[in-house]
Amino acid sequence: MPKVDVYDIKGKKVSDITLNEEIFGIIPNENIVHSVLVNYQANQRQGTQSTKTRAEVSGGGKKPWKQKGTGRARQGSTRSPQWIKGGIALGPKPRSYTYKVNKKEKRLAIKSVLSSKVAESELIVVDKIPFKEIKTKQMVEALNNLKVEGKALILLPEKDENVQKSARNIEGVKTTLVNTINVYDLLKYTKLVVTVDTIKKLEEVYA
């Protein structure tokens, strides 16, 4: 079973913790991770793009010239797709890009990414984040003490307004909850900062 160090917000090691191998020690399934990531991104698409067909553009009620005798190709309307300002043939229309992925695949994808974080030493475990007030400066100091560089995702077991609002104005830092975690955020942010309670909640949900 993988074992990682536990730090306080001052960056000092206070203990270590043994992680559940079924969640943090599996062999990552890259195909499933990719499949779930594509699904997440597809579900975020608004699908509001729209073009007008020849039935929707204005004008075009009169035949531009007579059918025969002009030497030009026959035309029935100036709103046909080949005309300037004509309708668009086979253009995009509003649609939903949403589709579902099996729940087991989503769980396997998240466990795969969590296992990768542990294997690549990108999981940072703190005993707790005891913020008594909303203080961005305090959060910056804590992340510096923990030597968190680059983008960081702070994963909380439950809503904590002091922690969430202290981190929201820091560039490259995001907070999220165990029950709203997704593969996209886990991959986007290099470092994953969790508390001991977060580990316990993850093991309850994904074991």
Side-chain angles (χ1 to χ4, degrees):
M1 287 188 175
K3 183 180 287 188
V4 296
D5 296 332
V6 178
Y7 301 90
D8 60 17
I9 59 172
K10 293 182 179 179
K12 295 180 180 179
K13 180 182 174 181
V14 292
S15 63
D16 54 44
I17 186 171
T18 301
L19 304 175
N20 189 325
E21 195 167 8
E22 294 181 5
I23 303 172
F24 298 96
I26 68 171
I27 298 174
N29 189 321
E30 294 182 4
N31 290 334
I32 291 294
V33 171
H34 178 264
S35 174
V36 173
L37 176 62
V38 170
N39 168 254
Y40 174 85
Q41 292 177 314
N43 292 348
Q44 302 307 303
R45 295 183 68 175
Q46 292 183 325
T48 54
Q49 75 279 30
S50 181
T51 55
K52 289 185 177 181
T53 66
R54 62 183 295 166
E56 296 168 318
V57 292
S58 61
K62 182 182 178 183
K63 189 174 174 67
W65 51 75
K66 64 180 184 179
Q67 181 82 344
K68 296 178 179 293
T70 65
R72 290 179 288 187
R74 53 194 172 187
Q75 300 291 330
S77 169
T78 56
R79 301 300 87 175
S80 298
Q82 72 270 22
W83 282 74
I84 295 174
K85 296 185 179 180
I88 302 298
L90 307 176
K93 283 292 184 183
R95 54 162 288 196
S96 172
Y97 291 89
T98 303
Y99 67 97
K100 291 184 178 180
V101 168
N102 191 294
K103 284 184 179 180
K104 289 183 178 179
E105 290 184 349
K106 286 185 178 180
R107 290 168 65 90
L108 178 57
I110 288 175
K111 290 192 284 187
S112 293
V113 180
L114 290 174
S115 296
S116 295
K117 294 289 185 187
V118 174
E120 296 170 11
S121 300
E122 293 177 351
L123 179 73
I124 299 172
V125 183
V126 294
D127 55 351
K128 54 186 175 180
I129 308 178
F131 284 11
K132 296 181 180 179
E133 59 181 336
I134 300 169
K135 204 79 171 176
T136 302
K137 184 178 179 180
Q138 189 178 1
M139 177 61 76
V140 171
E141 289 176 357
L143 293 174
N144 288 336
N145 292 336
L146 294 167
K147 297 180 181 179
V148 175
E149 298 177 355
K151 293 184 176 181
L153 179 66
I154 301 172
L155 185 57
L156 302 172
E158 55 191 18
K159 187 176 180 180
D160 187 329
E161 195 172 82
N162 289 342
V163 175
Q164 290 171 305
K165 289 188 175 181
S166 294
R168 67 181 177 180
N169 287 331
I170 305 174
E171 186 178 358
V173 176
K174 180 180 178 179
T175 58
T176 189
L177 306 178
V178 170
N179 58 1
T180 59
I181 193 173
N182 60 74
V183 169
Y184 179 82
D185 282 341
L186 287 174
L187 291 173
K188 179 181 178 180
Y189 294 89
T190 308
K191 297 291 184 180
L192 178 62
V193 181
V194 300
T195 64
V196 173
D197 288 340
T198 302
I199 296 291
K200 293 178 181 177
K201 187 72 176 286
L202 284 169
E203 292 179 348
E204 287 177 8
V205 174
Y206 293 99

